[in-house]
Structure formats: structure tokens, C-alpha cells
Amino acid sequence: MAVTLFGATDEAPQWERIDSAEQLLRQLLTIAAPDHVAAPLTMLGHICWWKGRGTAAANYMHVALTFDPDYHLARLLDQMLGAGVVSGWAQHKNTAYRNQQ
């Protein structure tokens, strides 16, 4: 699980599935109550981070923490982003998202 969380597998993920998950999370945001939006926002940010889009990921974490400052996963990912940690997948041309488009 940790290698997936950090995007550190040797093989590229199935980016099409991650894109589908991203679309579902965006749809979920349109119907989620404000008390429950931190989780999908955090996951959207995590997906952006996997794809190498650190600024977008940080923006999602900021918004998630605005809704729920105590959301632990968002806080951890925000700290990781602040430290400049880059997803393992984004660091390698064979696994990076841009090669899958």
C-alpha cells in the first residue's frame, strides 16, 4: 500500500483508471455536503500529485484543510508537498502521466 500511496511502483499505474476515479471524485464534489468534501478534495489532490502536478495538488490540500483543518491525510499530504516530495511515478519517463496521454 505504501508504494502506491507514494507512487513508487516500478510499473506505471493504469492511468485510465486513475482518470476515471478523478472524474468520479469531481462528480462527488457536486453533491457532497460541506462537512464531507475534505476527503474527495484530498484524493483529487493526491491524484494531481501522482501526475506530477504539485501546484494543483497543493491547492486541493489548501481547500480540503479549509473545510476540515483536522483532516489528517490532507495535513500529511500538505506537509509532503511543502517539503517538495515528488511522486515516484512523476520522476520517471516510463511511469509519468504525460507519457500515458
Side-chain angles (χ1 to χ4, degrees):
M1 185 67 173
V3 293
T4 302
L5 183 66
F6 289 105
T9 59
D10 292 333
E11 293 183 21
Q14 294 178 2
W15 287 114
E16 313 82 41
R17 294 182 82 181
I18 292 174
D19 287 341
S20 295
E22 186 176 15
Q23 290 175 345
L24 287 172
L25 287 164
R26 288 181 193 280
Q27 290 176 357
L28 178 61
L29 282 178
T30 66
I31 60 169
D35 291 346
H36 302 287
V37 297
L41 286 167
T42 300
M43 290 312 304
L44 283 166
H46 197 176
I47 289 170
C48 286
W49 180 74
W50 279 339
K51 292 179 175 183
R53 298 175 179 158
T55 301
N59 290 338
Y60 275 115
M61 293 311 139
H62 174 74
V63 176
L65 291 168
T66 299
F67 279 97
D68 186 352
D70 296 322
Y71 194 70
H72 193 63
L73 183 57
R75 289 175 54 189
L76 290 173
L77 291 170
D78 189 52
Q79 289 174 0
M80 217 171 55
L81 288 161
V85 176
V86 178
S87 162
W89 292 327
Q91 294 180 43
H92 303 285
K93 67 179 182 176
N94 295 332
T95 57
Y97 181 72
R98 67 184 174 276
N99 289 338
Q100 308 303 317
Q101 297 179 9

